[in-house]
Amino acid sequence: MTTFALRRLGQNRPILLAYGGALALFAVTSAFSPGFASANHIRILLIQASFVALVALGQSFVILGGGIDLSVPWTLNGSAILMTLFADGQNRPLVWVIPLLVALGGLIGLVNGLGITALGVSPIIMTLGMNVILSGGLLVYTNGSPTAAAPAFVETLATGRVGPVPYNTLIWLALASLATVVLTWTAFGRHLYALGTNRMVAQFSGIAVSRVTVVTYVISGMTAAFAGILLTGYVGQAYLGMGDPYLFASVAAVAIGGASILGGSGHYLGTIAGALILTVLAGLLPILNLNTASLQVIYGVVILATVALATLPGRLAVTR
Amino acid sequence: MADLEARAVTKRFGGVLALDGVDFEADAGEVHALIGENGAGKSTFIKILTGAVRPDEGEVVLFGEPLAARSPRDAASHGVAAVFQELSLVPDLTVAENVWFRRERLTPLGTISRRRVRRDTRALFGRLDFPPLDPDIEVRSLSVAERQLVEVAKAVAGDPRVLILDEATSALSPKEVSWLLDLARRLAAGGMIVVYISHRLAEVREVASRITVFRNGHSVGVTEGAAASEDEIVSMMLGRRLERLYPDKEATATEAVALRVRDLRFGHRLRGIDLDLREGEILGVGGLQGQGQLELFLSLFGVLRARGTIELDGRPVKISSPRAALAAGIGLALVPEDRQNQGLLLPKSVRENVTLAVTKRFSRRGLLDLERERALVGDAIRQLSIVLSSPEQPVGSLSGGNQQKVVISKLLLTRAKVLLLYDLTRGVDVGTKGEIFQLMRNLAREGYAILFFSTDLQELIHVADRVAVISDGSVTGLLEGEAITEDRILRASVAGGTAA
Ligand SMILES: Nc1ncnc2c1ncn2[C@@H]1O[C@H](COP(=O)(O)OP(=O)(O)OP(=O)(O)O)[C@@H](O)[C@H]1O
Ligand SMILES: [Mg+2]
């Protein structure tokens, strides 16, 4: 099983490239900034990377199937805010609050998926519309007022550790393994790649194209909601707008990880490298001592350049 | 020196030597045929002539000048136009827009004048005596045959000096084929060099003044078109004699009706089709192009939602999707018309394509058993002798004929007992055709029920146990045994209901 995973990785030049890039970037940054490579700071980087990586997990499934989910920011945000409201700083309610919110995220994905497959709305419009609806709904619901602090348990989940390894990283590892198994060793994974490569061929091959599509959006809704819960634990509270950076970041992580943005090729293993690159980059730029506005510009430019580089081998292969 | 000359052209793809020092000559005024088995290197050679692929060694000389086309567009500017085996029209543009694509003459404002494009297309169609086709229709809605015709018009529109047709007749009906052969002859007579690739040897002998034969990346000989017998040509192609193309018909059909179709209707394309396909039977479907045959196959496979009743093995079934068709009763499986857009995931491996429809067969407790998959794929490759360097090779890099074999193995793995074969032998070489017909006969003997559409009348005549002729959406003739003749099929095709 593992040899196959390695072979698969070997075939996937873009994925290896992404890991190479992540390592190189990390080395460069460490050279500029002593302490960047300390065990403590690496832990922090891993925790920060996990939020992008979780949102990008669902996004990977959606993009592999040829879609895109633009509703992740407010799915994440909604789950974060509702969690603090429902739990009200207490640990006990979390037994039902966490499953409920993950399920709600899945429900949002279900509506997205059904809108796209049954009603034929384009993925961009459907999920963008959903994002707007969710943001409006939350504003009305919370009345714009601040919410309670994150319960202690959620904070522990997000920042605590067993031995040297953060809980957070363990959770991420578990979900990443699950995603890898699903993509590589299940019929669903095969069908998903087929769907993203050519919808009509998938349909002619007897694949339940609509069902597979809907499931990817459900997964995306669930991972965004779960990321919202963990992120609240990390930040200590929920606030309006906390999900906004995760739209661009999740799509960029998938693309940097070597997936085709049109679907059909790529892997979550690549997305992980994409999330790591984005996180190290966010750590490198402040070292350059620029103001936040310039940072944003550089961040954007570097990401676009990375995506262009990551997709270059594919395009060269086509024009060969 | 010949007008078009290639010298010592060599091309390697990884470990595959597609062309090995090939020489080729053709002259203005001739239709020059290029034939060879699947994977012999014909298309690769054409791609080199047109700059779609760069040769590793060798050169091409056109009218005394070296031709090193960098792209098909560049080649076109040097007067070399081609219809490629893999069609390349833009689905969202109309027929007329495709014909003049990137060659439009612009208005003073720099925009494209639709009126002019339309007018030019009408004029061109008139000049070519083109089969009836609406220039304003979107290419998306055309059949493969119609797309092939549009490709021809597009290639001819630029008045090239060299016109290359790579299996441009593979989906055409006899009438359209004879139109295209006429056109090729006329263009050659006007001083053009026409290079003509086809697996239909009768066509080749009819139209070509000379024939160059490729085998295994080598040019193994040139012969005069009329001088050589079909047998001789085939022997040159295969390097051995072909014992027989068509296996003997056998009375393998039983009394049991595997597929019963009653009053199948779809818009004005199907006007109440009745069919009985028996177990062990090969039922041919004939008729002129576009009389509803395609819609019949697509309806039976659940792609189109037709009205009417369909029974499998005596039980009524509801078929609302291909998935339902594959799962219904004894199962319905289809070899689709359009290999590139319906049959295969071109960038994916042969392995993934072969097993795509049957992932359940090698899953255990939800996980894929990849050892078992490899075994299945290995068997499939051996059974149909698919020529490839590795099962992990993208299926799109196989030769056309070998791609079709992958489609067939995909179909067989589904274990569906009713096989819908739409133009199964399109682009397949004679040797392999023989194997495929034998395979069909074997399947019939095993109890499969086969519905078989072909644009090639000879195939229907020699392979089918019965032939249903379809005209204007209904069955206008059902021929059996000795009655299956070219003449009777053609008469039923135009009779509209009287020849049964
Ligand atoms: N892009 C590619 N990558 C790898 N192998 C290739 C590629 N293109 C062609 N080949 C290989 O080169 C050989 C010649 O292929 P080619 O398409 O020229 O055959 P052909 O004579 O046109 O066959 P057909 O009659 O089936 O169309 C085949 O073995 C094919 O698999
Ligand atoms: Mg070819």
Side-chain angles (χ1 to χ4, degrees):
Chain A
M1 218 152 121
T2 42
T3 55
F4 184 80
L6 286 178
R7 255 224 336 266
R8 181 175 184 103
L9 211 58
Q11 284 163 6
N12 263 314
R13 270 243 305 288
I15 295 185
L16 288 182
L17 267 172
Y19 278 99
L23 275 178
L25 201 60
F26 181 75
V28 169
T29 314
S30 313
F32 275 109
S33 146
F36 199 84
S38 72
N40 240 333
H41 191 253
I42 289 180
R43 265 194 289 274
I44 294 178
L45 284 177
L46 281 176
I47 292 176
Q48 287 173 341
S50 73
F51 306 121
V52 181
L54 279 182
V55 178
L57 193 160
Q59 191 72 271
S60 293
F61 277 78
V62 173
I63 289 180
L64 279 174
I68 192 158
D69 186 353
L70 305 180
S71 70
V72 287
W74 284 89
T75 306
L76 184 156
N77 211 332
S79 142
I81 286 177
L82 292 184
M83 195 262 293
T84 53
L85 285 178
F86 291 168
D88 196 24
Q90 306 296 307
N91 279 342
R92 179 158 302 206
L94 291 175
V95 257
W96 60 268
V97 170
I98 294 180
L100 174 76
L101 291 176
V102 172
L104 267 179
L107 184 68
I108 292 170
L110 183 71
V111 175
N112 278 334
L114 290 178
I116 290 162
T117 55
L119 304 180
V121 184
S122 92
I124 291 184
I125 300 297
M126 183 67 216
T127 56
L128 200 56
M130 177 59 82
N131 200 43
V132 171
I133 292 171
L134 291 174
S135 71
L138 275 169
L139 276 175
V140 173
Y141 184 69
T142 62
N143 228 339
S145 59
T147 57
F153 177 72
V154 179
E155 263 178 51
T156 312
L157 265 193
T159 56
R161 56 186 163 121
V162 253
V165 190
Y167 288 125
N168 185 298
T169 308
L170 289 178
I171 296 174
W172 176 18
L173 258 176
L175 291 177
S177 313
L178 190 63
T180 302
V181 168
V182 169
L183 288 177
T184 316
W185 286 288
T186 65
F188 175 81
R190 283 294 172 82
H191 294 177
L192 180 59
Y193 281 103
L195 180 73
T197 307
N198 188 327
R199 206 180 172 80
M200 176 127 73
V201 173
Q203 192 201 352
F204 271 71
S205 304
I207 292 170
V209 287
S210 297
R211 195 158 77 204
V212 175
T213 308
V214 171
V215 170
T216 63
Y217 285 95
V218 170
I219 294 174
S220 181
M222 287 168 49
T223 55
F226 188 57
I229 294 168
L230 287 183
L231 183 61
T232 309
Y234 181 70
V235 181
Q237 65 180 69
Y239 56 92
L240 294 172
M242 72 192 285
D244 290 348
Y246 290 91
L247 173 55
F248 185 52
S250 67
V251 176
V254 175
I256 294 173
S260 159
I261 205 72
L262 301 175
S265 76
H267 201 279
Y268 184 60
L269 294 175
T271 304
I272 292 177
L276 291 173
I277 287 184
L278 290 174
T279 309
V280 176
L281 198 60
L284 166 67
L285 294 179
I287 298 172
L288 301 179
N289 248 336
L290 295 167
N291 60 36
T292 27
S294 327
L295 280 184
Q296 288 288 328
V297 173
I298 296 182
Y299 186 68
V301 168
V302 171
I303 289 174
L304 290 182
T306 320
V307 172
L309 274 177
T311 49
L312 198 59
R315 269 185 283 129
L316 288 181
V318 172
T319 52
R320 177 190 47 181
Chain B
M1 188 167 142
D3 296 333
L4 172 64
E5 224 177 285
R7 300 194 197 109
V9 172
T10 296
K11 179 69 196 180
R12 222 177 262 286
F13 291 106
V16 182
L17 191 55
L19 293 172
D20 184 6
V22 162
D23 294 323
F24 178 84
E25 293 186 354
D27 283 311
E30 76 166 329
V31 177
H32 193 114
L34 178 55
I35 62 172
E37 282 181 283
N38 293 134
K42 305 177 297 291
S43 297
T44 305
F45 181 69
I46 293 316
K47 285 179 191 157
I48 286 172
L49 288 185
T50 53
V53 163
R54 224 66 69 75
D56 296 334
E57 283 162 44
E59 59 167 352
V60 180
V61 181
L62 179 60
F63 294 114
E65 280 174 35
L67 171 77
R70 272 167 284 116
S71 66
R73 215 168 135 67
D74 185 31
S77 72
H78 289 90
V80 180
V83 173
F84 292 104
Q85 192 173 2
E86 286 80 30
L87 303 180
S88 56
L89 300 173
V90 185
D92 291 324
L93 295 183
T94 65
V95 167
E97 286 161 347
N98 264 289
V99 168
W100 300 102
F101 186 59
R102 297 179 76 179
R103 259 198 316 244
E104 302 89 351
R105 276 168 295 178
L106 302 180
T107 64
L109 290 177
T111 58
I112 295 170
S113 157
R114 282 166 177 261
R115 196 139 42 98
R116 177 150 199 183
V117 165
R118 268 206 300 266
R119 201 179 55 216
D120 289 352
T121 309
R122 291 237 158 74
L124 178 73
F125 281 9
R127 188 152 59 82
L128 299 180
D129 198 12
F130 205 72
L133 187 65
D134 179 0
D136 293 329
I137 201 168
E138 270 184 22
V139 160
R140 173 181 299 290
S141 60
L142 299 184
S143 68
V144 174
E146 288 165 330
R147 286 181 206 199
Q148 282 185 336
L149 293 173
V150 177
E151 290 269 9
V152 172
K154 181 179 169 184
V156 175
D159 285 322
R161 295 186 290 173
V162 183
L163 173 67
I164 301 167
L165 303 171
D166 191 354
E167 298 190 30
T169 54
S170 62
L172 300 187
S173 68
K175 205 168 130 200
E176 292 156 340
V177 171
S178 71
W179 168 78
L180 185 58
L181 296 187
D182 264 351
L183 179 69
R185 270 191 227 103
R186 257 194 295 150
L187 293 173
M192 207 181 277
I193 304 172
V194 180
V195 179
Y196 189 90
I197 298 178
S198 172
H199 287 294
R200 298 176 172 181
L201 297 182
E203 268 171 32
V204 166
R205 290 184 60 231
E206 190 188 331
V207 74
S209 38
R210 284 191 293 169
I211 302 173
T212 294
V213 182
F214 278 11
R215 188 196 320 146
N216 246 331
H218 297 269
S219 169
V220 293
V222 182
T223 116
E224 303 290 316
S229 73
E230 202 160 314
D231 271 358
E232 285 165 344
I233 298 174
V234 170
S235 302
M236 245 165 114
M237 256 174 75
L238 305 185
R240 60 182 163 85
R241 278 185 52 83
L242 180 66
E243 290 310 322
R244 53 188 328 180
L245 181 54
Y246 302 109
D248 287 332
K249 291 189 186 176
E250 280 171 54
T252 50
T254 65
E255 286 303 302
V257 176
L259 170 71
R260 170 171 287 138
V261 178
R262 287 291 175 271
D263 199 31
L264 197 68
R265 291 174 180 276
F266 181 77
H268 58 276
R269 309 296 310 202
L270 298 179
R271 301 170 189 268
I273 298 263
D274 293 338
L275 277 181
D276 283 325
L277 172 60
R278 287 173 289 173
E279 251 170 51
E281 180 182 41
I282 301 177
L283 176 59
V285 174
L288 301 178
Q289 188 86 40
Q291 298 297 307
Q293 297 95 336
L294 180 60
E295 288 79 2
L296 170 64
F297 277 69
L298 291 180
S299 301
L300 292 176
F301 194 55
V303 178
L304 299 179
R305 307 278 177 82
R307 285 180 296 129
T309 54
I310 298 174
E311 285 176 21
L312 282 178
D313 210 16
R315 259 175 242 118
V317 289
K318 213 174 137 30
I319 293 168
S320 52
S321 69
R323 190 175 151 73
L326 286 163
I330 51 176
L332 281 158
L334 171 79
V335 167
E337 174 202 28
D338 188 345
R339 186 166 66 221
Q340 292 173 63
N341 296 308
Q342 300 168 338
L344 296 175
L345 302 171
L346 295 178
K348 295 295 177 195
S349 69
V350 171
R351 172 178 53 81
E352 281 164 281
N353 272 284
V354 167
T355 57
L356 185 58
V358 294
T359 39
K360 271 210 202 81
R361 289 264 300 281
F362 56 97
S363 319
R364 233 181 274 148
R365 275 184 258 114
L367 293 187
L368 300 180
D369 179 348
L370 300 174
E371 284 306 317
R372 177 137 172 64
E373 177 185 31
R374 253 191 292 275
L376 282 177
V377 173
D379 290 346
I381 291 171
R382 268 189 301 280
Q383 187 188 5
L384 294 177
S385 0
I386 301 174
V387 181
L388 38 64
S389 42
S390 151
E392 299 305 316
Q393 199 179 343
V395 83
S397 71
L398 297 187
S399 77
N402 282 297
Q403 290 183 16
Q404 191 69 351
K405 288 187 181 179
V406 173
V407 177
I408 298 174
S409 55
K410 188 174 156 185
L411 169 100
L412 291 181
L413 273 181
T414 66
R415 288 180 175 158
K417 275 297 196 283
V418 180
L419 307 182
L420 310 169
L421 310 180
Y422 194 93
D423 219 358
L424 179 69
T425 57
R426 181 157 84 89
V428 172
D429 69 41
V430 265
T432 311
K433 265 184 202 168
E435 290 167 31
I436 288 180
F437 296 142
Q438 186 61 57
L439 177 72
M440 284 171 66
R441 192 39 80 187
N442 295 348
L443 292 171
R445 200 182 301 128
E446 288 169 33
Y448 283 86
I450 300 176
L451 196 67
F452 174 55
F453 170 79
S454 173
T455 48
D456 186 339
L457 271 184
Q458 295 307 316
E459 288 187 6
L460 290 180
I461 294 168
H462 290 104
V463 176
D465 300 319
R466 291 187 300 157
V467 172
V469 179
I470 295 185
S471 174
D472 196 19
S474 43
V475 178
T476 53
L478 195 57
L479 309 170
E480 193 166 356
E482 297 295 302
I484 308 179
T485 62
E486 193 165 334
D487 190 46
R488 304 268 308 250
I489 294 177
L490 287 178
R491 258 192 297 156
S493 304
V494 292
T498 53

